[in-house]
Amino acid sequence: MAAWEKNVRKTIPYTPGEQPDRPNMIKLNTNENPYPPAPGVTKALQELDADRLRRYPDPAARVLVQALADYYGVTNQQVFVGVGSDDVLAMSFLTFFNSEKPILFPDITYSFYDVWAELFRIPYERPPLDSEFKIRTKDYLRECGGIVIPNPNAPTGIEKNLAELEEMIAGNPEVIVIIDEAYIDFGGTSALSLLPKYENLLVVQTFSKSRSLAGMRIGYAIGNERLIGYLNEAKYSFNSYTMNGAALAAGTEAIKDDAYFRETLQKIINTREWTKQELHRLGFSFLDSKSNFIFASHPKCPAEELFQALKQADIYVRFFNKPRINNYLRISIGTEQEMGALIRFLEHYLGENL
Amino acid sequence: MAAWEKNVRKTIPYTPGEQPDRPNMIKLNTNENPYPPAPGVTKALQELDADRLRRYPDPAARVLVQALADYYGVTNQQVFVGVGSDDVLAMSFLTFFNSEKPILFPDITYSFYDVWAELFRIPYERPPLDSEFKIRTKDYLRECGGIVIPNPNAPTGIEKNLAELEEMIAGNPEVIVIIDEAYIDFGGTSALSLLPKYENLLVVQTFSKSRSLAGMRIGYAIGNERLIGYLNEAKYSFNSYTMNGAALAAGTEAIKDDAYFRETLQKIINTREWTKQELHRLGFSFLDSKSNFIFASHPKCPAEELFQALKQADIYVRFFNKPRINNYLRISIGTEQEMGALIRFLEHYLGENL
């Protein structure tokens, strides 16, 4: 080890899903939307004035913040935007989790939470999900440094009902409770309605899934004005200009086209429910997903074997080689055609190999 | 103060320059490039496939990293990219400055350095520039937790010669020395040539100034592969996907068009030298800038008065109300026409008011 290495912050980074890019592959491994972004997004990008790019973008990202504020019926001062919800969550951890008490999040959940906690040296504990992979409310009614609950949870897809979430938020007035709603638009009930009652609540959402803009990196948080003020001050202490001109234009157009948004959501939800029926028919067991993925296990065929077999057929799903969940596959919901191909492959494979 | 506020990280954020957007204004306050980005950038953005944006971008930003590696004659593993050099510098502070000894940077310099140090609770000391606003090498030959030297320095514009920089880097093998070369392309000599000799050296540059892409938010660091490896691990512990599809496409095209790059640089340098002559004629004193701005003071008219008078005329320059530099204006180099208008205004104003 060189002398200079002793002061380096050593981290164990998050491992994103593979991003293969092969013609005709079926990519169901990173919960992307199978439909393109709203038509207005294409138009806005084509009309982007390259000359304008020599100037810094608006550091307050007002056009996008305003579109979000209008859409959700909150004030501009209640909205924070960042480079994907990962950026928003990372800044929130840095800003709000400075207690010496541990923050709490489930043992099985988005695997970035413990990475951020390690990066920022935030103590944390991970109350285990129950035997049905559900979050137990009582585990979160205790002294702590903060709480992060993904709702629906990933990779399980299970939604926690609003009354139980409210119990956690009301029970922890001294700390910030972050509800990470990356997948809420696919049929869940948002905690946004609780904002007027609880000033310790921060709701985080993203354009990456329901708005088909994973490639543009846009996430946001909504909370009370004081909370968002602190988050903005931390952002202005890290990077004043996070949202580039293209992201501002694309995000704003995506929010404005609500009809397109609802139409694609409904298609995905319909395909998800069809896929559930088919998986059931093939003998899979799975949890009741309210997200754009299904977390499924087959009683006779190990998940890792299926994962590899699917990959050979250029169908990519996600397999987590981790305790408790290493016999499950997380399957993103693609188009009807893609899910049809997946089901046909599984039917054939299970028929031949069982 | 609410109970939840006690664990909030309180910060004093960086204050970016104003971003007014008025027709016919002359904007010389944030060191933006007066010329549009390379023609290939416009084309790449127009051809951006909106459908592709539903997918996550390449987390390793390979297309852009490769273009930079080719341009600078280094390996892909020696290049780190981020959301502007602010993102790159912030991640570098977080990754490399974890000593209990103070990091060192000048008292008069880019005002984000102390903001990052405060945010990440890094101890720091600021050796004062000498009476001619020069960085004294000997102040940096001492035990410390790391060093950041902007070269040329901002807002002074003064370049430090490579031999003296090398003395600092060689004299501090136990810590990382960051040379922040945001303005190096405007006539300075880069420290990149020292990379093969010093593994504790990190060179940071940006697309915001010399490549006319402030609005796209692209910065980069070049260093040895181990150093860049640590930086990437920290990045993957914060936000896997920082560079969106538009930034990747625009940045790659900007790097590829070297002829356009050199042509716009030369125009800016020529205009800078012309502006120096004119400011001299009007009685201003200023430092020998090697950047795209001039830091100037008039013996008979206070900088703040001039700043306000210029603003009334829709000419924006930067005034820092800080000790030692509160009688200086930082004037970005615009087009010939813009600088002509500035000089005419100053000539008229000083003639009438002195």
mmCIF file of all heavy atoms in Angstrom, chain A residues 75-97:
data_model
loop_
_atom_site.group_PDB
_atom_site.id
_atom_site.type_symbol
_atom_site.label_atom_id
_atom_site.label_comp_id
_atom_site.label_asym_id
_atom_site.label_seq_id
_atom_site.Cartn_x
_atom_site.Cartn_y
_atom_site.Cartn_z
ATOM 1 N N THR A 75 -45.951 23.495 -3.059
ATOM 2 C CA THR A 75 -45.229 24.702 -3.460
ATOM 3 C C THR A 75 -43.869 24.320 -4.047
ATOM 4 O O THR A 75 -43.365 23.221 -3.809
ATOM 5 C CB THR A 75 -44.976 25.630 -2.252
ATOM 6 O OG1 THR A 75 -44.042 24.980 -1.362
ATOM 7 C CG2 THR A 75 -46.261 25.924 -1.492
ATOM 8 N N ASN A 76 -43.278 25.250 -4.785
ATOM 9 C CA ASN A 76 -41.927 25.043 -5.330
ATOM 10 C C ASN A 76 -40.927 24.731 -4.225
ATOM 11 O O ASN A 76 -39.978 23.986 -4.440
ATOM 12 C CB ASN A 76 -41.435 26.326 -6.018
ATOM 13 C CG ASN A 76 -41.987 26.452 -7.416
ATOM 14 O OD1 ASN A 76 -42.922 25.737 -7.772
ATOM 15 N ND2 ASN A 76 -41.407 27.347 -8.193
ATOM 16 N N GLN A 77 -41.136 25.355 -3.076
ATOM 17 C CA GLN A 77 -40.194 25.185 -1.961
ATOM 18 C C GLN A 77 -40.328 23.816 -1.301
ATOM 19 O O GLN A 77 -39.575 23.488 -0.395
ATOM 20 C CB GLN A 77 -40.392 26.282 -0.903
ATOM 21 C CG GLN A 77 -39.923 27.671 -1.355
ATOM 22 C CD GLN A 77 -40.863 28.290 -2.382
ATOM 23 O OE1 GLN A 77 -42.072 28.155 -2.296
ATOM 24 N NE2 GLN A 77 -40.282 28.945 -3.382
ATOM 25 N N GLN A 78 -41.284 23.023 -1.763
ATOM 26 C CA GLN A 78 -41.441 21.676 -1.204
ATOM 27 C C GLN A 78 -40.815 20.604 -2.088
ATOM 28 O O GLN A 78 -40.936 19.420 -1.789
ATOM 29 C CB GLN A 78 -42.932 21.360 -1.014
ATOM 30 C CG GLN A 78 -43.574 22.122 0.131
ATOM 31 C CD GLN A 78 -45.005 21.667 0.335
ATOM 32 O OE1 GLN A 78 -45.934 22.243 -0.232
ATOM 33 N NE2 GLN A 78 -45.184 20.614 1.114
ATOM 34 N N VAL A 79 -40.179 21.035 -3.187
ATOM 35 C CA VAL A 79 -39.683 20.065 -4.165
ATOM 36 C C VAL A 79 -38.167 20.189 -4.318
ATOM 37 O O VAL A 79 -37.630 21.285 -4.515
ATOM 38 C CB VAL A 79 -40.345 20.295 -5.550
ATOM 39 C CG1 VAL A 79 -39.819 19.295 -6.575
ATOM 40 C CG2 VAL A 79 -41.868 20.190 -5.436
ATOM 41 N N PHE A 80 -37.482 19.059 -4.245
ATOM 42 C CA PHE A 80 -36.033 18.999 -4.467
ATOM 43 C C PHE A 80 -35.796 18.038 -5.625
ATOM 44 O O PHE A 80 -36.410 16.972 -5.669
ATOM 45 C CB PHE A 80 -35.358 18.465 -3.201
ATOM 46 C CG PHE A 80 -33.873 18.222 -3.347
ATOM 47 C CD1 PHE A 80 -32.971 19.262 -3.199
ATOM 48 C CD2 PHE A 80 -33.373 16.950 -3.626
ATOM 49 C CE1 PHE A 80 -31.590 19.049 -3.319
ATOM 50 C CE2 PHE A 80 -32.004 16.725 -3.755
ATOM 51 C CZ PHE A 80 -31.117 17.780 -3.607
ATOM 52 N N VAL A 81 -34.927 18.415 -6.580
ATOM 53 C CA VAL A 81 -34.636 17.495 -7.687
ATOM 54 C C VAL A 81 -33.155 17.118 -7.707
ATOM 55 O O VAL A 81 -32.301 17.877 -7.251
ATOM 56 C CB VAL A 81 -35.046 18.074 -9.064
ATOM 57 C CG1 VAL A 81 -36.550 18.253 -9.153
ATOM 58 C CG2 VAL A 81 -34.320 19.380 -9.364
ATOM 59 N N GLY A 82 -32.873 15.944 -8.237
ATOM 60 C CA GLY A 82 -31.491 15.468 -8.300
ATOM 61 C C GLY A 82 -31.271 14.514 -9.457
ATOM 62 O O GLY A 82 -32.201 14.213 -10.226
ATOM 63 N N VAL A 83 -30.027 14.048 -9.571
ATOM 64 C CA VAL A 83 -29.587 13.195 -10.680
ATOM 65 C C VAL A 83 -30.030 11.744 -10.431
ATOM 66 O O VAL A 83 -29.243 10.886 -10.056
ATOM 67 C CB VAL A 83 -28.050 13.302 -10.841
ATOM 68 C CG1 VAL A 83 -27.556 12.471 -12.010
ATOM 69 C CG2 VAL A 83 -27.630 14.757 -11.023
ATOM 70 N N GLY A 84 -31.327 11.510 -10.611
ATOM 71 C CA GLY A 84 -31.907 10.214 -10.270
ATOM 72 C C GLY A 84 -32.240 10.180 -8.784
ATOM 73 O O GLY A 84 -31.737 10.996 -7.999
ATOM 74 N N SER A 85 -33.115 9.239 -8.379
ATOM 75 C CA SER A 85 -33.449 9.204 -6.953
ATOM 76 C C SER A 85 -32.253 8.732 -6.137
ATOM 77 O O SER A 85 -32.188 8.988 -4.940
ATOM 78 C CB SER A 85 -34.704 8.375 -6.683
ATOM 79 O OG SER A 85 -34.543 7.055 -7.090
ATOM 80 N N ASP A 86 -31.260 8.109 -6.776
ATOM 81 C CA ASP A 86 -30.041 7.756 -6.035
ATOM 82 C C ASP A 86 -29.337 9.004 -5.511
ATOM 83 O O ASP A 86 -28.887 9.044 -4.369
ATOM 84 C CB ASP A 86 -29.069 6.960 -6.916
ATOM 85 C CG ASP A 86 -29.553 5.531 -7.138
ATOM 86 O OD1 ASP A 86 -30.461 5.080 -6.415
ATOM 87 O OD2 ASP A 86 -29.017 4.855 -8.041
ATOM 88 N N ASP A 87 -29.240 10.016 -6.354
ATOM 89 C CA ASP A 87 -28.624 11.272 -5.930
ATOM 90 C C ASP A 87 -29.460 11.916 -4.816
ATOM 91 O O ASP A 87 -28.926 12.387 -3.807
ATOM 92 C CB ASP A 87 -28.532 12.211 -7.148
ATOM 93 C CG ASP A 87 -27.871 13.544 -6.837
ATOM 94 O OD1 ASP A 87 -26.903 13.575 -6.060
ATOM 95 O OD2 ASP A 87 -28.313 14.570 -7.400
ATOM 96 N N VAL A 88 -30.777 11.908 -4.989
ATOM 97 C CA VAL A 88 -31.673 12.508 -3.989
ATOM 98 C C VAL A 88 -31.550 11.767 -2.656
ATOM 99 O O VAL A 88 -31.453 12.388 -1.583
ATOM 100 C CB VAL A 88 -33.135 12.483 -4.501
ATOM 101 C CG1 VAL A 88 -34.104 12.952 -3.424
ATOM 102 C CG2 VAL A 88 -33.270 13.329 -5.769
ATOM 103 N N LEU A 89 -31.520 10.441 -2.720
ATOM 104 C CA LEU A 89 -31.410 9.647 -1.487
ATOM 105 C C LEU A 89 -30.030 9.832 -0.838
ATOM 106 O O LEU A 89 -29.926 9.985 0.382
ATOM 107 C CB LEU A 89 -31.667 8.169 -1.787
ATOM 108 C CG LEU A 89 -33.135 7.818 -2.082
ATOM 109 C CD1 LEU A 89 -33.252 6.452 -2.765
ATOM 110 C CD2 LEU A 89 -33.975 7.832 -0.795
ATOM 111 N N ALA A 90 -28.977 9.828 -1.651
ATOM 112 C CA ALA A 90 -27.625 10.018 -1.097
ATOM 113 C C ALA A 90 -27.533 11.359 -0.385
ATOM 114 O O ALA A 90 -27.028 11.450 0.743
ATOM 115 C CB ALA A 90 -26.579 9.923 -2.210
ATOM 116 N N MET A 91 -28.033 12.422 -1.020
ATOM 117 C CA MET A 91 -28.000 13.751 -0.391
ATOM 118 C C MET A 91 -28.864 13.775 0.869
ATOM 119 O O MET A 91 -28.539 14.452 1.843
ATOM 120 C CB MET A 91 -28.491 14.825 -1.365
ATOM 121 C CG MET A 91 -27.546 15.147 -2.509
ATOM 122 S SD MET A 91 -25.828 15.485 -2.029
ATOM 123 C CE MET A 91 -26.019 17.028 -1.157
ATOM 124 N N SER A 92 -29.966 13.025 0.859
ATOM 125 C CA SER A 92 -30.840 12.982 2.032
ATOM 126 C C SER A 92 -30.153 12.260 3.194
ATOM 127 O O SER A 92 -30.235 12.697 4.349
ATOM 128 C CB SER A 92 -32.159 12.272 1.694
ATOM 129 O OG SER A 92 -32.821 12.952 0.647
ATOM 130 N N PHE A 93 -29.473 11.159 2.906
ATOM 131 C CA PHE A 93 -28.713 10.462 3.951
ATOM 132 C C PHE A 93 -27.686 11.420 4.559
ATOM 133 O O PHE A 93 -27.552 11.543 5.771
ATOM 134 C CB PHE A 93 -27.985 9.236 3.368
ATOM 135 C CG PHE A 93 -28.792 7.963 3.335
ATOM 136 C CD1 PHE A 93 -30.048 7.920 2.763
ATOM 137 C CD2 PHE A 93 -28.275 6.784 3.873
ATOM 138 C CE1 PHE A 93 -30.786 6.732 2.719
ATOM 139 C CE2 PHE A 93 -29.001 5.596 3.847
ATOM 140 C CZ PHE A 93 -30.260 5.570 3.268
ATOM 141 N N LEU A 94 -26.946 12.101 3.681
ATOM 142 C CA LEU A 94 -25.888 13.008 4.134
ATOM 143 C C LEU A 94 -26.468 14.151 4.974
ATOM 144 O O LEU A 94 -25.888 14.561 5.973
ATOM 145 C CB LEU A 94 -25.151 13.572 2.906
ATOM 146 C CG LEU A 94 -23.960 14.500 3.158
ATOM 147 C CD1 LEU A 94 -22.797 13.734 3.784
ATOM 148 C CD2 LEU A 94 -23.497 15.158 1.855
ATOM 149 N N THR A 95 -27.626 14.644 4.552
ATOM 150 C CA THR A 95 -28.212 15.814 5.218
ATOM 151 C C THR A 95 -28.922 15.465 6.526
ATOM 152 O O THR A 95 -28.776 16.166 7.520
ATOM 153 C CB THR A 95 -29.241 16.501 4.277
ATOM 154 O OG1 THR A 95 -28.610 16.742 3.023
ATOM 155 C CG2 THR A 95 -29.749 17.802 4.861
ATOM 156 N N PHE A 96 -29.664 14.368 6.527
ATOM 157 C CA PHE A 96 -30.570 14.127 7.650
ATOM 158 C C PHE A 96 -30.123 13.073 8.655
ATOM 159 O O PHE A 96 -30.650 13.016 9.762
ATOM 160 C CB PHE A 96 -31.961 13.757 7.116
ATOM 161 C CG PHE A 96 -32.569 14.834 6.273
ATOM 162 C CD1 PHE A 96 -32.944 14.593 4.964
ATOM 163 C CD2 PHE A 96 -32.750 16.112 6.789
ATOM 164 C CE1 PHE A 96 -33.500 15.603 4.180
ATOM 165 C CE2 PHE A 96 -33.299 17.124 6.019
ATOM 166 C CZ PHE A 96 -33.671 16.863 4.704
ATOM 167 N N PHE A 97 -29.182 12.224 8.258
ATOM 168 C CA PHE A 97 -28.827 11.111 9.151
ATOM 169 C C PHE A 97 -27.498 11.363 9.832
ATOM 170 O O PHE A 97 -26.482 10.748 9.523
ATOM 171 C CB PHE A 97 -28.826 9.803 8.363
ATOM 172 C CG PHE A 97 -30.185 9.392 7.844
ATOM 173 C CD1 PHE A 97 -30.311 8.521 6.763
ATOM 174 C CD2 PHE A 97 -31.361 9.863 8.425
ATOM 175 C CE1 PHE A 97 -31.558 8.128 6.276
ATOM 176 C CE2 PHE A 97 -32.614 9.479 7.938
ATOM 177 C CZ PHE A 97 -32.714 8.616 6.867
#
